[in-house]
Amino acid sequence: MTAIATRPETGQRGTSAPPARPRDSERLFNRVALGTLIALALLWLVPLAWALATSIRPAQEVVTNPTGWFTAHPTLDAYGEIFDAGKLPYWYANSFITSILTTVLTVVMASLAAFALSQTRFRMRRAAFVMLLAGIMIPGQVLMIPQFLALQSAGLLNTYWGVVLPQVPNVVAVFVFKQFFDGIPRELIDAARADGAGWLRTYWQIVMPISRPAVSAVTIFVFVGVWNNFLWPLLVVTDPEMMTLPVGLTSVQDVFGVPYAQLMASAVLGAIPLLAVFALFQRRIVEGIAGTGLK
Amino acid sequence: MATTTAPTPTSSRGDRWAGPGMLLPFALFYLVFLVGPLIYTVVAGFFETSLLKSGLGDFAGLSNYTAVLGDAEFWRTLRNTLWFTVLTTVPLVLLSLALALLADRFVRGRWFFRFAFFAPFVLPSAVVSLLFMFIYADQLGLAQEAVKWFGVDTPPSWLGDPDWAMISIAAATVWWTIGFNFVLYLAGLQDVPREVHEAAAIDGAGPWQRIRHVVVPMLGRTTTLVTVLQVIASLKVFDQIYMMTAGGPDGSTRSSLQLIYDTGFVEGRVGYASTVSLLLFVVILLVSLVWFALVRRAEKES
């Protein structure tokens, strides 16, 4: 989590007095850099802007001029048709339910495990940690067949639990929590223990409340990960009313043939919740990535 | 409160099970959904396991391995996957480094660059695929339109031409995921002390020289991390290929993970698919181990 600590300094870094004599080469370089950067950033926004522009054009116009940008008659028809014909409201609800369930389970179980590994002492503690760490190297997708067979025999296909359960053992989440808990002063834990608080109470009432940064980092990356997961829900969900948004969206093409305004409206609707999450938690997401990635 | 006579709380009786008890829920999930499946994958590779019959099926010895290693399709999907990995890793490391170096110079407006480059990263792969299928569409897509401006009269069919399909998917992937590496580099740049910049500037180094000889070398650790994470992610590619071309045209974009998916779930040959899974797992594991070795050595040196 070093990024969190250094960020405020960076803000000052920019406002600190410029070097005594800004040389011409420096100024020229900055200008070229800014120009390049803005050009690339605009290029990067083209697909998003185009999706938005196309989704509000009348279907007739898209057919006659597919690559046009502007319309004199903006309309939300495509959105309405998507809502009526597809099962979009179900997919939204399913994505929310599975993402929230997975996130809550992951945060609770991973933080409990990390607390045990960080603060309690027991035999095999180090061995348990090393074994858990090894799990970072197991690529989950490669295990899709046995995971599928296990859920099939448990009768969990086409259920929320089928989508949720295999995504709960997130080793990176344990790692992030342990990293954070290791930094909590030993005296704080000892004081709580000396006052007679059990380990569970110490975890819940002392440690978790001061671990907000770790909790929010894990919450965001688990939520986004589950929301965007495609392969796993594709395997375990076949019932259209149980599909999550990413899986449902791919079936839109079959429902409509290829009417582009609707396709782009679906893309926009699929993007909005996450862009909203991103806009709200931009700094937390960035800090989370920086903090988890670099350790 | 009351002073305790026992100096170490950890020695009291109930404590011995506190740690293992709190570890247990996560450990159970870990065993059931990661360790167990991994063991199953290893075992199933030695059997003629089928999705249609329960149980492991007949013992096959090494026949799955000889079959997979002798299967031209296995090697082709592996080649496709490696080609995709090269096509994505090189720009995703170099371009994200360049973007971060440039963006780091400007404090004002940084949120705009972060939004432009990072926002696509939070989109579901399904949205990215829909978007780019439209952009790459023949005759009416933005990409063909764009190259016509540059005087190309007959633009290629981006997703329909076997020579271009993987490149097109890789380009969409770069657009989609560059924000993650960009942010890692921005974080790495914050650890470069301001004084280093100033000292180099006083010594007469221009901005370009400072970047090349001072800043980039200090980002070595971040670069290793970004590269390895990228290689591992690219080796596991599935979503966008499956949606945009389904492996076509002529299997030119079929990935290793799709081979596992197809043989395992479509054809039901679990034993064979398990063998492919294990081989892909070994490739990914080797990459991770090389990374750990590199980090170890770098830490010893510093």
Side-chain angles (χ1 to χ4, degrees):
Chain A
M1 296 278 140
T2 46
I4 296 171
T6 51
R7 194 160 292 275
E9 291 166 25
T10 324
Q12 289 163 13
R13 185 207 275 184
T15 52
S16 68
R21 280 173 295 142
R23 276 168 292 172
D24 285 348
S25 73
E26 201 83 16
R27 215 178 289 150
L28 180 70
F29 188 87
N30 268 349
R31 244 178 236 163
V32 174
L34 192 62
T36 315
L37 206 53
I38 290 176
L40 280 167
L42 292 177
L43 181 69
W44 236 253
L45 290 173
V46 164
L48 291 178
W50 198 43
L52 203 61
T54 306
S55 70
I56 57 167
R57 297 173 68 204
Q60 205 54 43
E61 266 184 45
V62 181
V63 173
T64 50
N65 178 17
T67 51
W69 279 84
F70 302 104
T71 174
H73 316 281
T75 166
L76 292 176
D77 284 355
Y79 290 89
E81 282 157 33
I82 291 260
F83 260 99
D84 293 342
K87 303 213 177 284
L88 208 73
Y90 285 96
W91 303 336
Y92 264 110
N94 296 336
S95 276
F96 266 110
I97 292 167
T98 53
S99 303
I100 289 170
L101 265 177
T102 314
T103 307
V104 170
L105 283 174
T106 305
V107 166
V108 171
M109 292 192 192
S111 62
L112 257 181
F115 180 72
L117 290 170
S118 171
Q119 300 293 344
T120 70
R121 297 287 173 269
F122 56 92
R123 284 208 298 167
M124 309 295 284
R125 188 178 61 102
R126 284 199 69 84
F129 183 58
V130 169
M131 194 180 147
L132 215 61
L133 260 192
I136 287 185
M137 289 192 271
I138 304 177
Q141 291 93 327
V142 169
L143 301 177
M144 60 185 164
I145 294 171
Q147 288 178 342
F148 176 86
L149 294 174
L151 287 172
Q152 188 182 39
S153 58
L156 291 176
L157 299 188
N158 279 312
T159 66
Y160 290 141
W161 293 116
V163 178
V164 168
L165 295 180
Q167 301 193 70
V168 171
N170 190 324
V171 185
V172 177
V174 179
F175 200 50
V176 174
F177 277 119
K178 181 166 183 302
Q179 202 79 26
F180 194 88
F181 294 163
D182 282 347
I184 294 176
R186 185 80 207 157
E187 296 78 43
L188 190 68
I189 312 283
D190 286 345
R193 302 278 300 136
D195 283 350
W199 281 115
L200 266 182
R201 248 187 80 183
T202 310
Y203 154 80
W204 188 246
Q205 294 190 339
I206 309 288
V207 171
M208 283 308 263
I210 58 170
S211 303
R212 288 248 176 83
V215 172
S216 52
V218 171
T219 299
I220 290 164
F221 84 74
V222 172
F223 189 92
V224 172
V226 178
W227 184 282
N228 288 349
N229 194 344
F230 173 73
L231 178 53
W232 185 246
L234 176 74
L235 292 176
V236 291
V237 178
T238 47
D239 176 358
E241 289 188 5
M242 287 302 292
M243 283 177 182
T244 57
L245 196 65
V247 181
L249 281 182
T250 54
S251 68
V252 168
Q253 300 166 67
D254 306 333
V255 179
F256 293 109
V258 197
Y260 285 123
Q262 273 117 328
L263 274 185
M264 288 304 101
S266 327
V268 171
L269 286 173
I272 282 175
L274 286 173
L275 287 179
V277 168
F278 173 66
L280 283 173
F281 301 106
Q282 197 188 126
R283 278 194 46 197
R284 275 278 150 79
I285 295 176
V286 169
E287 284 162 3
I289 288 178
T292 54
L294 288 172
K295 285 297 145 109
Chain B
M1 287 297 197
T3 46
T4 43
T5 42
T8 48
T10 32
S11 62
S12 69
R13 264 190 58 190
D15 278 349
R16 212 207 270 162
W17 297 106
M22 290 191 286
L23 190 59
L24 189 69
F26 188 88
L28 279 179
F29 272 90
Y30 182 78
L31 292 174
V32 170
F33 289 107
L34 283 175
V35 179
L38 187 60
I39 294 170
Y40 181 92
T41 303
V42 176
V43 173
F46 293 104
F47 288 86
E48 298 287 353
T49 313
S50 159
L51 199 61
L52 306 172
K53 287 179 288 185
S54 60
L56 279 172
D58 296 332
F59 184 71
L62 288 174
S63 71
N64 279 326
Y65 283 87
T66 49
V68 169
L69 294 175
D71 185 348
E73 190 57 19
F74 168 73
W75 292 108
R76 185 163 72 147
T77 56
L78 193 61
R79 243 188 347 259
N80 289 343
T81 308
L82 292 175
W83 177 224
F84 175 82
T85 305
V86 171
L87 282 174
T88 48
T89 304
V90 174
L92 279 171
V93 173
L94 295 181
L95 191 59
S96 64
L97 171 64
L99 292 177
L101 284 172
L102 295 181
D104 193 52
R105 304 179 75 84
F106 308 103
V107 172
R108 259 193 309 161
R110 183 177 289 174
W111 68 269
F112 171 71
F113 301 126
R114 212 157 59 181
F115 179 83
F117 299 124
F118 190 78
F121 180 72
V122 298
L123 300 182
S125 53
V127 168
V128 175
S129 303
L130 282 180
L131 201 57
F132 275 85
M133 282 162 76
F134 191 17
I135 288 175
Y136 287 141
D138 291 340
Q139 267 99 59
L140 33 77
L142 202 58
Q144 289 199 341
E145 193 77 8
V147 295
K148 275 184 200 158
W149 288 344
F150 291 102
V152 180
D153 293 333
T154 48
S157 166
W158 300 110
L159 293 173
D161 181 337
D163 291 335
W164 280 100
M166 195 61 107
I167 295 170
S168 308
I169 293 172
T173 308
V174 170
W175 176 83
W176 178 28
T177 58
I178 199 160
F180 186 80
N181 295 351
F182 175 68
V183 165
L184 281 182
Y185 268 123
L186 278 183
L189 279 168
Q190 310 214 325
D191 294 338
V192 177
R194 182 76 193 153
E195 298 79 55
V196 174
H197 264 289
E198 279 162 4
I202 289 168
D203 288 347
W208 174 243
Q209 287 161 313
R210 289 207 306 274
I211 286 178
R212 249 188 72 191
H213 299 293
V214 180
V215 180
V216 171
M218 290 185 81
L219 290 172
R221 204 180 136 83
T222 310
T223 302
T224 336
L225 178 85
V226 166
T227 310
V228 172
L229 288 182
Q230 191 52 55
V231 169
I232 292 176
S234 290
L235 289 173
K236 294 189 291 189
V237 64
F238 176 83
D239 298 14
Q240 61 270 48
I241 294 183
Y242 178 82
M243 284 180 266
M244 286 164 76
T245 62
D250 299 331
S252 61
T253 60
R254 203 177 185 212
S255 68
S256 293
L257 211 56
Q258 199 188 334
L259 180 67
I260 299 170
Y261 175 87
D262 288 342
T263 44
F265 290 99
V266 181
E267 298 167 31
R269 294 155 66 204
V270 171
Y272 190 93
S274 296
T275 308
V276 180
S277 304
L278 203 67
L279 291 172
L280 182 62
F281 172 66
V282 169
V283 172
I284 294 173
L285 192 68
L286 284 177
V287 173
S288 317
L289 290 177
V290 167
W291 174 53
F292 274 116
L294 283 175
V295 170
R296 266 270 172 86
R297 225 181 59 188
E299 271 171 2
K300 262 185 200 152
E301 278 169 11
S302 64

